[in-house]
Amino acid sequence: DFLRPRAGMPCGISLRFTLAAAPPGLELPLVIYVPSSCFSSYAQEHAEASFCISHIGDCAEVCLMDPSKLLGRSLWRLSANFSSPDSAESQSFLDVLSLKLHLGDERVLTMPLGDHAIVLRLLPSTLRLDVP
């Protein structure tokens, strides 16, 4: 529903990720890697932008001016090991489009992350582009 722009109102989307729970042994920060091509048509093919959550209750907000750029780029990587982001044992993947999110409806997700499980709250909202 957030991929379709509203008539006459230019808008993007904001996806706010809040770390609601994590085990004490989990190495923070939690890092969310988003394909850079979600933000720019000129981004390198395999480049990623990183968003960090440093403690429980903290959040990261991913703002997309053009939500349609998520098509083909909705698989985002989460990692608990910032120094070795490619380590398979401390990462997980989240397909944002498969969640079938609706603007304003918060979703609570329990996700595996290595030997641990984390709880994320995800809130999609409208990002108004015409507001100065």
Side-chain angles (χ1 to χ4, degrees), residues 2 13-20 30 32 34 51-53 57-64 76 78 94 96 99 101-109 119-127:
F2 58 73
I13 58 167
S14 164
L15 298 170
R16 179 178 294 152
F17 292 85
T18 303
L19 182 60
L30 174 68
I32 302 167
V34 179
F51 296 83
C52 297
I53 299 176
D58 192 11
C59 69
E61 194 159 358
V62 179
C63 298
L64 302 171
W76 296 1
L78 288 86
L94 174 64
V96 176
L99 296 174
L101 300 169
H102 297 281
L103 293 172
D105 290 341
E106 185 176 68
R107 183 75 60 94
V108 177
L109 308 169
V119 178
L120 287 175
R121 287 193 328 257
L122 176 56
L123 179 64
S125 59
T126 301
L127 179 65

Side-chain angles (χ1 to χ4, degrees), residues 3-132:
L3 290 180
R4 292 183 223 110
R6 302 196 194 295
M9 184 174 70
C11 64
I13 58 167
S14 164
L15 298 170
R16 179 178 294 152
F17 292 85
T18 303
L19 182 60
L26 183 70
E27 183 181 342
L28 294 175
L30 174 68
V31 186
I32 302 167
Y33 293 95
V34 179
S36 295
S37 51
C38 286
F39 307 104
S40 168
S41 301
Y42 305 107
Q44 293 179 356
E45 185 177 337
H46 297 291
E48 294 174 309
S50 58
F51 296 83
C52 297
I53 299 176
S54 59
H55 60 279
I56 294 174
D58 192 11
C59 69
E61 194 159 358
V62 179
C63 298
L64 302 171
M65 302 297 228
D66 181 2
S68 68
K69 290 189 182 254
L70 275 174
L71 295 172
R73 302 171 185 95
S74 65
L75 188 63
W76 296 1
R77 193 163 51 94
L78 288 86
S79 174
N81 191 340
F82 199 57
S83 59
S84 301
D86 295 325
S87 171
E89 57 199 39
S90 63
Q91 68 180 359
S92 185
F93 292 90
L94 174 64
D95 187 338
V96 176
L97 287 181
S98 73
L99 296 174
K100 299 183 180 174
L101 300 169
H102 297 281
L103 293 172
D105 290 341
E106 185 176 68
R107 183 75 60 94
V108 177
L109 308 169
T110 300
M111 299 190 56
L113 196 60
D115 295 335
H116 305 286
I118 60 170
V119 178
L120 287 175
R121 287 193 328 257
L122 176 56
L123 179 64
S125 59
T126 301
L127 179 65
R128 295 280 311 266
L129 303 180
D130 59 345
V131 176

